[in-house]
Amino acid sequence: MSIMIITQGKDISPWVKALQETRPDLNVQVYPDIRDDSDITFALSWNHPLGAFQGFPNLKCIASMGAGVDHILKDPDLPETAVVTRVVDENLTRDMATFTLAAALNYMRGLTEYKALQHRHAWERREYKRVGEVTIGMMGLGVLGAHVAEVFSRAGFRVNGWARSARLLDGVTVYTGQNELNTFLAQANILICLLPLTKETAGILNKATFARLPKGAYLINVARGEHLVEEDLLEAIETGHLAGASLDVFREEPLPAAHPFWRHPNIDVTPHIASVTHPASVVGQILENYDRLRKEESLLHVVSRQRGY
Ligand code: NDP
Ligand code: OXD
């Protein structure tokens, strides 16, 4: 039984180091340099070449290196019997809260705009939005969304959340399903997307969604680029219905140099950095699952392949 690391476009050296420091005798192999395909039972994966898992007849677990699993589940040749797991990590959760809070406050206090004014040596005082005047709309109330919603609530914001199923969260009014989506959207001055990418949520940040938001609303997308219909966002900002957006994720990453988002004055672009998985923080749970697999015990943080998250 061996672990294989399989990625594209990712520096895996911190992962290899963290795994080997934690368990020096571990047999870690890195795709495509695999000694014996039939020896691989556990894959640690990020953005693997589609179809590649078919070459490993004894693969039983595919573990995402991050919280999202869309990069795994989109593979039409995923082995039927492999269990898919993901990362759930307190550091990842906390980092998402600090990023989204920073993005919201940056917008409310106009800090990006002041940086542009500074370049022109322009002393111009602008009106700003106060915490008590802003309602946050949190799309997705899972591990990340629920925590972020509670952090915003504790910071004094009025917070509404939207998910598939009902739950109780401190200081958060929860809306569920398609029936309550419009009521939820109608109140959101800042809409934050923390949904997983699935068939149901792809393209959910679109013209119809934006039209339901109050005039002057702001979008923070930290989930996946495919949630957003890019031209609908540009049009909504152009017409003045949306004030702008903070975008951390994109349909194509890195964002191509010629993309209009780069130079849009009302769009802040960050390079998928809202919350980054630190190998040293999560190898414990990866190895725990590797051990459980060997002992034929149930695994931690298993996702539903049918639901897509
Ligand atoms: P979870 O799987 O824990 O939570 C998903 C939430 O979305 C749940 O509340 C779920 O509802 C809700 N949801 C799913 N489908 C629908 C739907 N059709 N309608 C309404 N609600 C829906 O995910 P996490 O919180 O851990 O992560 C969310 C996403 O954040 C990840 O999938 C990833 O794409 C992204 N991410 C981005 C990072 C970055 O740096 N930018 C870093 C880490 C993650 P219910 O609870 O009712 O099932
Ligand atoms: C993740 C991500 O899913 O980094 O963890 O986007």
Side-chain angles (χ1 to χ4, degrees):
M1 290 183 79
S2 297
I3 289 192
M4 159 176 76
I5 299 184
I6 177 165
T7 66
Q8 288 182 107
K10 193 174 182 80
D11 174 17
I12 56 150
S13 49
W15 287 90
V16 176
K17 183 166 175 275
L19 283 167
Q20 284 176 341
E21 275 177 8
T22 313
R23 195 163 299 173
D25 58 346
L26 190 72
N27 181 6
V28 184
Q29 304 191 41
V30 178
Y31 182 89
D33 299 322
I34 307 296
R35 286 186 292 280
D36 176 5
D37 294 346
S38 65
D39 194 37
I40 301 296
T41 50
F42 191 104
L44 184 54
S45 169
W46 187 262
N47 193 22
H48 68 282
L50 298 185
F53 292 131
Q54 284 291 327
F56 301 94
N58 296 317
L59 187 60
K60 294 195 178 61
C61 173
I62 302 171
S64 172
M65 287 172 151
V69 289
D70 47 293
H71 56 102
I72 297 172
L73 299 185
K74 74 178 181 191
D75 187 340
D77 296 319
L78 212 55
E80 284 292 325
T81 51
V83 173
V84 177
T85 66
R86 71 192 192 108
V87 160
V88 173
D89 175 54
E90 273 185 12
N91 291 320
L92 198 68
T93 307
R94 275 197 290 264
D95 289 356
M96 187 53 87
T98 55
F99 181 89
T100 47
L101 203 49
L105 293 173
N106 176 53
Y107 154 63
M108 289 164 58
R109 302 307 310 259
L111 299 186
T112 301
E113 206 179 346
Y114 285 117
K115 195 70 202 164
L117 292 172
Q118 183 183 343
H119 280 301
R120 295 198 276 114
H121 299 194
W123 184 272
E124 291 176 24
R125 305 172 84 213
R126 301 278 160 92
E127 286 191 5
Y128 57 85
K129 295 183 194 324
R130 295 184 170 82
V131 167
E133 300 165 357
V134 172
T135 298
I136 300 293
M138 180 66 57
M139 297 183 101
L141 294 172
V143 172
L144 301 181
H147 174 75
V148 174
E150 288 183 329
V151 166
F152 270 89
S153 169
R154 286 199 293 274
F157 289 87
R158 185 165 171 246
V159 184
N160 295 328
W162 182 69
R164 290 210 316 183
S165 48
R167 78 222 45 221
L168 286 176
L169 289 175
D170 250 9
V172 182
T173 306
V174 175
Y175 294 83
T176 57
Q178 286 302 319
N179 290 347
E180 296 185 356
L181 178 59
N182 288 346
T183 314
F184 161 81
L185 292 172
Q187 303 168 65
N189 305 114
I190 298 182
L191 184 70
I192 303 178
C193 181
L194 265 171
L195 292 165
L197 181 66
T198 66
K199 281 193 205 78
E200 286 78 34
T201 65
I204 195 165
L205 302 175
N206 60 31
K207 199 180 177 110
T209 299
F210 298 149
R212 298 284 176 190
L213 296 172
K215 188 169 164 49
Y218 188 78
L219 171 70
I220 299 176
N221 186 20
V222 279
R224 285 293 180 261
E226 291 88 341
H227 285 123
L228 175 66
V229 180
E230 297 184 342
E231 53 278 19
D232 290 359
L233 174 66
L234 290 170
E235 188 190 317
I237 298 176
E238 181 67 29
T239 61
H241 188 64
L242 289 194
S246 166
L247 305 176
D248 184 57
V249 287
F250 303 91
R251 285 177 180 266
E252 189 179 345
E253 295 182 5
L255 186 64
H259 198 289
F261 287 168
W262 280 116
R263 53 181 188 281
H264 199 298
N266 302 37
I267 294 179
D268 286 335
V269 168
T270 47
H272 200 144
I273 198 75
S275 183
V276 174
T277 307
H278 283 279
S281 178
V282 300
V283 287
Q285 61 184 263
I286 305 282
L287 291 172
E288 167 76 26
N289 267 349
Y290 182 60
D291 293 341
R292 285 175 177 231
L293 189 71
R294 286 199 303 187
K295 290 188 263 174
E296 298 186 6
E297 291 174 0
S298 56
L299 305 189
L300 306 172
H301 313 314
V302 172
V303 302
S304 157
R305 288 179 57 164
Q306 193 204 347
R307 255 184 356 174
Y309 67 99

